[in-house]
Amino acid sequence: MNIPQTSYPRVVIIGGGFGGIALAKKLAKQEMQVVLLDKHNYHTFQPLLYQVSTGGLEPDSIAYPIRKILSKYPNFYFRLAMVKGVDSEKNTLDTDIGPLKYDYLVLATGSTTNFFGNKEIEANSMIMKTVPEALNLRSLILENFEEALLTDSMDRQDALMNFVIVGAGPTGVELAGALAEIKRGILPKDYPDLDTRRAQINIVQSGDKLLKGMSEKASEKAEDYLEELGVNVWKNTRVTSYDGDLVTTNTDLTFHTATLIWAAGVKGETIKGIDGKDSITFSNRIKVNDYNQVEGFKNIFAIGDIACMVSDDFPAGHPMVAQVAIQQGTHLGVNLVAFLEDEKVMKPFVYKDKGTMATVGRNKAVVDMPKFKFQGVFAWFVWMFVHLFFLIGFRNRVVVFINWVYNYIRFDREARLIIRPYKKEKTKVVKMNAVKTE
């Protein structure tokens, strides 16, 4: 990999997400050689991916070059690489650009979409975990309306303008709100020769409340906001299959749609070599102790979504959100410095919950903080401020702020561009039936 030999200990971080970047920043000025590996050369601000997929923002406003983030640090190295596996006995990584030795390894690989074993839904639905996936979804949404203009079949037209979002967490709720605002404010102007009033936005939740993990008030208010925007909210309904045309559920409810967006869950993105049964627990996450050490390994750590630190307060591990990853990355940076000097001075990680928030649309948001809970216009401004603050890069903050101001004044989304056409091919999944034997 052309990384120079050094007398400093080498810390290898896999993943340039919130946790990996926070850790790299904490270590980069220390007497260590820090190597960060990622399959993309940029950090993605994932909470705003839904705005890319709905034309509110361009992708480069929520992405930032990893090399630029840490360019001022002398002992930092970045390599664009896909990690294939870990040999913990030899302290070596296997990647698509060659092997790499490490003294200390930190897994910050994040999470991937969890389809809970449903291969048919996995094959035919849309997801939104990366910038390319958000761009694919943006193209598909816009192409659906272009195709709807050209078809004479009312059934096909309705299917093209019918969107089903599975999962009512922050991502699902925010996406549903954004699509509803597009239906109201943009589609009638862009497609005057199409009856866009027939477009349907559906959000389907298997549980009895939206925004699970937030307060009852936030859940109820978010549901009220969605219904005000014309979104159909279906609770206590579980999607069981989707063949590319028909969505079936565990009730009599079905949907004919060309677009099902899956936002119903995530799981840890593990790496071969640290994926044995003894290492993996809830939601495919890696067991770690209070110091983020992977159980059974002295020099391997895990932070963020991939790490599962079980405690009395968090019996299934910490929530898989950005704040946990940032805090664990920063804390592990302090601990690693201490670890190299004296293992006994390491401090256990304690999560400080700073609150949860979600926006449902223009002037509509819900915010739950440890001591305060509020909704409405003020919550919406708080949501915007917090997201601007945590964006990396002055240019990104300015661009996003200008876009939001423009969108607010003009009630418009300028980035509704089909840069690269995308077509989701229907995939037939053969379901194997059990054969009874005597």
Side-chain angles (χ1 to χ4, degrees):
M1 293 191 188
N2 291 326
I3 296 174
Q5 295 294 322
T6 177
S7 59
Y8 290 158
R10 177 182 287 168
V11 179
V12 177
I13 305 168
I14 305 175
F18 289 107
I21 294 297
L23 173 60
K25 284 183 173 180
K26 205 69 180 176
L27 295 181
K29 290 185 178 179
Q30 305 296 326
E31 292 185 344
M32 302 177 184
Q33 186 185 72
V34 180
V35 180
L36 195 153
L37 307 177
D38 197 286
K39 56 189 175 184
H40 301 294
N41 75 333
Y42 54 86
H43 164 79
T44 304
F45 192 79
Q46 288 188 332
L48 292 180
L49 273 174
Y50 83 95
Q51 294 215 357
V52 173
S53 66
T54 54
L57 294 172
E58 283 289 3
D60 58 352
S61 60
I62 66 161
Y64 201 81
I66 291 175
R67 292 184 184 278
K68 189 172 182 180
I69 295 172
L70 300 159
S71 61
K72 297 178 181 178
Y73 304 124
N75 296 319
F76 170 78
Y77 299 88
F78 172 75
R79 293 294 182 266
L80 189 66
M82 180 81 73
V83 177
K84 297 179 179 178
V86 179
D87 187 334
S88 57
E89 292 184 1
K90 296 180 180 179
N91 288 347
T92 303
L93 292 177
D94 177 28
T95 80
D96 61 347
I97 60 172
L100 179 66
K101 296 280 288 184
Y102 63 83
D103 295 304
Y104 300 93
L105 176 65
V106 181
L107 306 177
T109 49
S111 58
T112 186
T113 304
N114 190 355
F115 292 97
F116 306 99
N118 194 314
K119 296 297 182 183
E120 186 180 52
I121 292 176
E122 182 176 357
N124 293 301
S125 65
M126 298 296 294
I127 56 176
M128 193 184 59
K129 286 288 290 178
T130 67
V131 169
E133 290 168 353
L135 287 174
N136 288 342
L137 181 54
R138 183 179 77 177
S139 292
L140 184 64
I141 290 169
L142 296 172
E143 287 176 83
N144 280 356
F145 289 103
E146 297 295 335
E147 185 180 341
L149 278 172
L150 306 178
T151 180
D152 293 328
S153 167
M154 295 292 283
D155 289 341
R156 178 60 180 166
Q157 201 172 73
D158 285 341
L160 288 164
M161 296 193 296
N162 187 14
F163 298 91
V164 178
I165 301 166
V166 184
T171 298
V173 166
E174 291 177 342
L175 183 58
L179 287 173
E181 290 196 327
I182 289 174
K183 174 187 172 181
R184 273 188 169 190
I186 293 174
L187 294 184
K189 293 181 288 186
D190 277 9
Y191 301 94
D193 45 348
L194 184 65
D195 186 5
T196 56
R197 293 172 299 177
R198 299 201 337 265
Q200 296 289 317
I201 317 297
N202 301 279
I203 187 165
V204 183
Q205 171 69 356
S206 60
D208 59 358
K209 64 176 287 189
L210 276 60
L211 298 175
K212 182 182 177 182
M214 294 189 72
S215 65
E216 287 293 333
K217 181 66 175 176
S219 174
E220 292 170 4
K221 202 66 177 176
E223 186 173 348
D224 290 343
Y225 287 149
L226 286 174
E227 289 176 345
E228 283 176 25
L229 289 169
V231 176
N232 302 315
V233 179
W234 308 94
K235 296 183 292 185
N236 296 310
T237 304
R238 182 169 54 85
V239 171
T240 56
S241 68
Y242 175 57
D243 62 5
D245 290 312
L246 180 67
V247 177
T248 58
T249 70
N250 62 335
T251 70
D252 294 336
L253 182 68
T254 60
F255 303 94
H256 286 277
T257 177
T259 309
L260 181 141
I261 304 166
W262 187 263
V266 292
K267 61 181 180 180
E269 191 160 15
T270 55
I271 292 178
K272 186 178 179 182
I274 315 289
D275 57 354
K277 289 183 179 179
D278 293 338
S279 300
I280 304 300
T281 183
F282 307 104
S283 298
N284 204 46
R285 301 165 78 186
I286 296 173
K287 299 177 189 175
V288 299
N289 61 18
D290 291 344
Y291 310 103
N292 284 99
Q293 276 177 309
V294 176
E295 291 192 6
F297 301 92
K298 190 175 181 180
N299 64 336
I300 301 179
F301 301 79
I303 58 175
D305 288 359
I306 190 64
C308 185
M309 185 185 295
V310 175
S311 65
D312 292 339
D313 292 333
F314 300 97
H318 294 93
M320 298 166 79
V321 295
Q323 267 302 316
V324 172
I326 293 169
Q327 291 181 33
Q328 287 187 344
T330 302
H331 185 81
L332 180 58
V334 175
N335 268 350
L336 275 176
V337 175
F339 185 82
L340 294 177
E341 297 174 357
D342 184 354
E343 184 180 349
K344 295 178 182 178
V345 301
M346 291 176 68
K347 295 180 180 179
F349 172 74
V350 178
Y351 175 50
K352 297 176 182 177
D353 186 359
K354 296 183 179 180
T356 310
M357 57 185 68
T359 180
V360 189
R362 182 187 179 95
N363 296 334
K364 297 177 177 69
V366 292
V367 174
D368 282 357
M369 299 180 74
K371 294 184 179 180
F372 304 99
K373 295 174 176 59
F374 44 95
Q375 306 83 35
V377 178
F378 180 65
W380 185 68
F381 279 108
V382 170
W383 178 91
M384 286 199 301
F385 173 80
V386 169
H387 283 70
L388 283 172
F389 178 81
F390 280 103
L391 273 170
I392 295 177
F394 176 76
R395 176 190 172 276
N396 285 26
R397 294 189 187 104
V398 171
V399 169
V400 170
F401 178 74
I402 291 172
N403 269 276
W404 283 349
V405 170
Y406 178 85
N407 293 346
Y408 186 83
I409 295 172
R410 297 293 302 274
F411 212 108
D412 202 359
R413 289 171 177 257
E414 289 282 294
R416 48 189 190 276
L417 310 171
I418 305 173
I419 300 296
R420 52 177 197 188
Y422 178 81
K423 193 71 177 176
K424 186 73 176 179
E425 298 294 338
K426 285 185 284 187
T427 303
K428 245 187 179 179
V429 176
V430 179
K431 298 178 182 178
M432 302 296 291
N433 294 320
V435 178
K436 186 177 180 181
T437 58
E438 297 298 333

